[in-house]
């Protein structure tokens, strides 16, 4: 049975998007080269994932000689917001407060992070 496509970015998709966000655009060869600095990845894998990202409407391409140049259509912030909203719906009944409480209860926050959270809470109360 085929695996269900993730509505948000998978780990590999995000790594490829990071390359495109940082570089502005890239061919399959350029993306593959950028990724191989961190991990061994095959050209065909990058090509397939870029096609999937295009189907998901995260990227588009234009012909450049015999290659395709891929450009991000979705920016980092939009992708991040989409992932957080998916997480909220899936694990926290769509309630941001439940997510925030889980993070505060289960993670060690720095004094700066706690101070910033207090500022945001005070601003939300006003």
């Amino acid at each position: 049975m085929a695996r269900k496509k993730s509505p948000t970015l998978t780990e590999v998709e995000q790594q490829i998007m990071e390359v495109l966000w940082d570089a502005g655009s890239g061919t399959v060869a350029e993306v593959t080269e950028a990724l191989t600095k961190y991990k061994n990845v095959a050209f065909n894998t990058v090509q397939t994932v870029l096609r999937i990202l295009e189907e998901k409407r995260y990227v588009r391409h234009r012909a450049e000689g015999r290659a395709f140049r891929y450009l991000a259509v979705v920016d980092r912030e939009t992708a991040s917001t989409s992932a957080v909203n998916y997480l909220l719906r899936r694990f926290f009944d769509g309630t941001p407060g439940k997510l925030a409480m889980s993070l505060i209860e289960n993670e060690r926050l720095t004094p700066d992070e706690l101070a910033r959270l207090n500022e945001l809470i005070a601003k939300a109360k006003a």
Side-chain angles (χ1 to χ4, degrees):
M1 179 158 97
R3 192 171 68 142
K4 183 179 173 186
K5 287 188 178 165
S6 171
T8 59
L9 294 173
T10 65
E11 185 176 347
V12 173
E13 290 169 348
Q14 182 178 348
Q15 290 169 345
I16 289 174
M17 289 301 296
E18 293 289 345
V19 170
L20 294 177
W21 287 324
D22 289 344
S25 69
T27 63
V28 175
E30 291 167 349
V31 173
T32 303
E33 182 180 336
L35 288 174
T36 54
K37 293 176 185 173
Y38 309 103
K39 63 190 267 184
N40 191 15
V41 63
F43 180 94
N44 290 347
T45 300
V46 172
Q47 188 174 42
T48 298
V49 174
L50 282 166
R51 248 192 323 265
I52 291 167
L53 285 167
E54 194 162 29
E55 289 171 10
K56 288 176 146 184
R57 295 185 171 19
Y58 277 86
V59 302
R60 65 179 171 81
H61 76 269
R62 66 171 188 257
E64 190 173 277
R66 292 180 48 181
F68 287 160
R69 176 157 300 276
Y70 290 87
L71 301 104
V73 175
V74 175
D75 62 24
R76 271 187 179 103
E77 185 175 337
T78 302
S80 173
T81 299
S82 175
V84 170
N85 287 335
Y86 178 72
L87 182 73
L88 280 173
R89 286 189 311 275
R90 185 160 180 209
F91 294 103
F92 299 98
D93 300 322
T95 307
K98 287 183 180 180
L99 171 61
M101 288 183 282
S102 175
L103 290 172
I104 292 168
E105 290 171 350
N106 297 308
E107 301 297 326
R108 287 187 57 92
L109 300 176
T110 68
D112 288 343
E113 290 169 331
L114 288 170
R116 179 68 178 132
L117 275 174
N118 284 325
E119 289 173 18
L120 291 171
I121 290 168
K123 185 177 177 182
K125 288 180 179 179

